[in-house]
Every structure is written in structure tokens, then in C-alpha cells.
Amino acid sequence: MRTYDIIYKKRMGQELTHEEIDNLVQGFTRGEVADYQMAAWAMAVCLQGMTARETADLTMAMARSGDMIDLSAIRGTKVDKHSTGGVGDKVSLVLVPLVAACGAPVAKMSGRGLGHTGGTLDKLESVPGLRVERSSQEFIDQVNKIGCAVVGQTGNLVPADKKLYALRDVTATVDSIPLIASSIMSKKIAGGADAIVLDVKTGSGAFMKSLDDSFRLAQAMVDIGREVGREVAAFVSDMDQPLGWAVGNAMEVSEAIETLRGFGPQDLEEVCLALGAQMLRLAGVAPDAAAARKQLLRALRAGHGLNKLIEMVEAQGGDVNYIRQPVSLPRAAHIVRLAAPEAGYVQHIEALEVGVAAAMLGAGRETKDSVLDLGVGVLLRKKVGDQVDRGDTLAEIHVNDESRLAEVQERLLGAYRIGAEAVPKHLLMYGLVTEAGVERF
Ligand code: URA
């Protein structure tokens, strides 16, 4: 089988066989298929697309390119969650302990952030002592003992995706729905989850800017699940403005703790309840989403989610006093107010710009090796739909190194659009795609 023929066949819009896809991916992983050939093939996929069957074959070929984590030693249906990423997205910090407190085991491998905000692991590391590097056995033992763990990737997970993503990044082939769907799902499947709940973010601060493309991506990932025997539910949710108030590592941990105490921002709590309800349903812990939601709310109000977070932090070597008293988490030396330049209504907040502003303060990485400043970030005080008077605080800038403060202020002011007309509050959840079909909210 010649790689040339596989590229040509896809370029002509024909469906590749299971063997052709497998040969291509394994050859690429071993270094036998050249980067330029793989890039040409990725471009052909961008232009011609892939069927659901081809996308599932690509997913499994990539998943099998490295270690496949075996979580069968964990009792129950292991349910994982993944977000396509957004600004202020600290959902996992709330959801993992809350869902575990309701009886569904959550064995989560997370990543570090690159670009405009830290990842879940970076946020967790604001808690002194907490370790995210665990062996597979420690990971499994912890989930069996307390019901949840959030760790960095163990072993050599999905090397084909790492190599392919690096090529896509420099050949204008990132934004292909089958390539994105297979990239995300291959990592979840290699990570050993039985069931997966996805949060496809849509809007200016998200990877997917258009609502229709976001639904297409959600559908593609549900289709992969059906083809490979994993239950998948995929939400499409808003990222036209940051989620919650806080953008920055320790600040987001504090907000997650507040949410687990029942005093979090309403949008964050709502996303957690919606995703959590599907996780409990797929794990078989609740008969349906409505019953699951009640169970989650009871656990939240009773503080069971917070207690579970404390257990998880303790199990991973973190100092739980920082969870009990989040004021002791890393904090910035200065808080600078961003004042509204005019009166009116907040009509839009460019989420990406808020993320970039936080990264410029030191909350995100500019290169893979950047060291994060965990205490800094942006705390939004006004969100879309709010009325403001001239001089009102739009946001607080939590800063240590003030050398880029003027630039950060300018970016944040540019991120806010204030106008005379009132605008409705954003819709938070746009819909849910499951095997049963598409529900638009
Ligand atoms: N996230 C991924 O993991 N892969 C993609 O291709 C895009 C976003």
C-alpha cells in the first residue's frame, strides 16, 4: 500500500478503508510516512472531509498509536469530561469533585495551558504541595479510594496526535471537523473513559467561532462514540464572554471553591449542573438528567462537593488549608481598577482579549517553558447585559509586574463594548447532542 495512493484517493474525495487509515497513522507514528505526505493528506481531509466511519477509524488508529490506559481496575462506569477550552473555564475544578461526591468515579487526565490561559493542572498547582504527576497505579488506587483524581498524562499517550497536531498547526489544517473530533476523542479513548461528556465552546473566545460548526463538531464526536462503543453527550455552550468572573489560575481556584460552597457565579454553576447531570446519567448513577440535577444540587448545598475536593487535594499531597481558606492562595501584590469610560450597557466582552490580557500579566504561557505567575489575573465586575455608570469598575486587574500594565488596561478596555442600548443576557447553553439526537435550547 503506497502512501501516495492514500493521499491521492482522499484528494479525489473517496472513502478510505480501515486498513488504509491504520497504515497511514502507524507509518506516520513510526516515522515511515514523511511529514510532507501527512500534511498533504491532512489538507486533502480539510477539503474533502471524512465519513463518520473514517473519522472513527482515524480516532482509534491514533488512540492505538501509544499507550491505552486500562481503567478496568476501577469499579463502576468511568466517566470523563472534556471542554474544547475557553476563557475562565474552571468547570473541571467544580465538576470532578461534585460528580464524584454523587457516586460516579472520575479519572481525569488534564493538560497544561498554552496560549491565553492556564490549564486545569496549572490551576490546581496553585495549591501548595499538590502533585499532578502520578503513576497509572497511583491514579487508579486514588479513584478507587476516594472516587476522583485529576492528573497529568501518564505514559506515552496518543503520539500520533502530538505529531499530527504540530503539522496541522503550521499547514493551515487545524480547523477541519473530522481532524479536531478525532484528535480530541483519541485522547479521551486512550485515557480509558467508558463514557464522555463534552463541552464544545462556541463564540469569540472559543476555538469554534460559529454555532453551526460547533454543533457539527459535537455531532462528529457523538458519532465517533457510537462507532467505537463509548457513550458520548456533547453540549454546545457560550464562550462569547468569559465564564464566571475570574480569569487567572489561583483566582479561578478560589472561584471554583466559592461555587462548591454554593456562592459561585450563576453561569459557572449552571454549566457544572448541566454537564454533571449528563455525567451521572451516563455513569448509570441517576435514571435521567432531571433526577441527576437534583442529586447534584443536594450534594452542592450539603457541601459534599467541597469535601470531595478537600479529599482529592489531600490525596494528591496538597495543603487542604488553602481550600478551607482560599484567601491564603497565591495573590497578586496590586489590584488596579479598570473604570468604565462612559455610561451605558455592556453589550459585548471579547473573551479572547481578556484571556490575552491575563496571559500578559503572567497567568498564561507565551512559550512552552514560560513560568506562570499563579496569583495574577483579571476579575470581571461587569458582564454582558449589565448597566454601568461612567467610572464604575468594569474589572479588577490583579498584577505583580506592572511593566505591561498600560498595555493590559488598553486591551481590557478594548475588550468591553459599552453602548446606549440594553442587550439581553447571553444564552449560556445552546444545545445538547446525544445518540438520541440534537436538542437545541
Ligand atoms: N483540541 C485538540 O485536542 N485537538 C484539536 O485538533 C483541536 C483542539
Side-chain angles (χ1 to χ4, degrees):
M1 189 179 298
R2 294 193 319 155
T3 302
Y4 178 99
D5 297 331
I6 299 173
I7 299 168
Y8 185 74
K9 192 169 168 185
K10 184 39 66 187
R11 194 192 109 186
M12 300 312 288
Q14 291 169 27
E15 188 174 8
L16 299 175
T17 65
H18 173 90
E19 288 70 30
E20 285 165 337
I21 291 173
D22 208 51
N23 263 288
L24 183 74
V25 172
Q26 304 318 335
F28 176 58
T29 311
R30 288 194 298 264
E32 293 158 7
V33 170
D35 283 359
Y36 51 80
Q37 290 179 302
M38 202 62 186
W41 174 82
M43 184 59 82
V45 171
C46 281
L47 299 175
Q48 297 289 6
M50 284 183 125
T51 64
R53 204 269 311 143
E54 282 178 298
T55 311
D57 282 346
L58 176 61
T59 305
M60 291 313 288
M62 291 209 292
R64 283 192 299 264
S65 68
D67 298 341
M68 301 274 281
I69 309 288
D70 179 5
L71 297 180
S72 58
I74 299 175
R75 295 175 290 277
T77 303
K78 278 73 67 184
V79 56
D80 200 354
K81 167 265 165 188
H82 179 82
S83 157
T84 57
V87 180
D89 186 349
K90 68 283 290 176
V91 167
S92 293
L93 299 174
V94 179
L95 197 55
V96 169
L98 186 60
V99 165
C102 292
V106 190
K108 180 152 181 56
M109 282 187 201
S110 273
R112 295 190 184 280
L114 185 61
H116 51 270
T117 43
T120 301
L121 297 185
D122 301 310
K123 293 170 195 173
L124 275 174
E125 281 178 346
S126 329
V127 182
L130 191 137
R131 280 176 297 125
V132 293
E133 270 81 40
R134 316 290 277 172
S135 70
S136 299
Q137 195 55 51
E138 286 172 322
F139 181 45
I140 289 169
D141 289 348
Q142 182 177 322
V143 180
N144 266 334
K145 188 159 171 228
I146 67 162
C148 59
V150 179
V151 301
Q153 277 187 7
T154 67
N156 175 31
L157 226 64
V158 200
D161 177 63
K162 274 197 198 92
K163 277 186 86 178
L164 180 56
Y165 195 87
L167 279 187
R168 287 168 56 209
D169 220 10
V170 292
T171 55
T173 51
V174 168
D175 56 349
S176 144
I177 286 175
L179 293 181
I180 299 169
S182 55
S183 165
I184 293 173
M185 290 296 287
S186 62
K187 287 175 281 208
K188 294 287 114 185
I189 289 167
D194 301 315
I196 301 151
V197 174
L198 299 158
D199 186 11
V200 177
K201 298 286 185 198
T202 191
S204 61
F207 189 66
M208 287 276 133
K209 308 283 181 218
S210 101
L211 192 57
D212 284 347
D213 279 348
S214 304
F215 272 99
R216 278 189 206 106
L217 177 60
Q219 184 69 61
M221 294 193 284
V222 171
D223 289 347
I224 293 172
R226 189 189 50 246
E227 297 274 333
V228 308
R230 314 272 165 129
E231 278 212 78
V232 177
F235 283 96
V236 175
S237 76
D238 181 60
M239 191 34 74
D240 245 346
Q241 64 176 338
L243 186 64
W245 304 106
V247 181
N249 298 285
M251 290 163 67
E252 292 190 38
V253 173
S254 282
E255 188 168 272
I257 294 168
E258 277 303 285
T259 306
L260 285 167
R261 293 178 64 231
F263 304 112
Q266 195 262 329
D267 58 349
L268 175 61
E269 181 178 301
E270 181 51 39
V271 173
C272 293
L273 291 174
L275 267 66
Q278 291 300 321
M279 289 173 80
L280 293 187
R281 180 182 72 79
L282 293 184
V285 166
D288 55 44
R293 192 182 166 94
K294 285 191 190 136
Q295 206 175 330
L296 288 161
L297 270 169
R298 272 199 304 274
L300 190 69
R301 304 288 177 247
H304 296 328
L306 182 60
N307 291 341
K308 190 55 75 181
L309 177 67
I310 290 171
E311 273 183 73
M312 186 179 94
V313 166
E314 192 162 35
Q316 297 188 209
D319 185 340
V320 296
N321 290 318
Y322 289 82
I323 306 296
R324 295 208 173 96
Q325 277 143 20
V327 285
S328 46
L329 284 165
R331 290 176 142 219
H334 314 284
I335 297 178
V336 179
R337 228 168 52 81
L338 186 80
E342 59 192 315
Y345 293 89
V346 178
Q347 295 180 330
H348 179 72
I349 304 173
E350 190 69 28
L352 186 60
E353 287 297 295
V354 178
V356 172
M360 286 167 65
L361 294 168
R365 285 188 183 78
E366 297 199 341
T367 71
K368 224 163 68 231
D369 303 316
S370 308
V371 176
L372 297 182
D373 190 343
L374 295 169
V376 302
V378 177
L379 192 67
L380 303 179
R381 289 294 190 191
K382 299 288 179 194
K383 296 203 45 183
V384 173
D386 288 344
Q387 189 175 12
V388 294
D389 284 327
R390 187 161 182 265
D392 276 357
T393 303
L394 292 177
E396 290 172 9
I397 303 168
H398 291 227
V399 54
N400 282 325
D401 171 5
E402 292 178 292
S403 61
R404 295 174 87 181
L405 183 58
E407 220 184 320
V408 167
Q409 283 170 312
E410 199 180 317
R411 269 197 183 260
L412 281 175
L413 274 180
Y416 271 89
R417 192 175 69 228
I418 297 172
E421 314 277 297
V423 295
K425 295 265 179 197
H426 274 197
L427 198 62
L428 184 61
M429 311 298 285
Y430 289 101
L432 173 64
V433 183
T434 63
E435 281 196 27
V438 181
E439 202 185 330
R440 295 237 183 188
F441 302 147

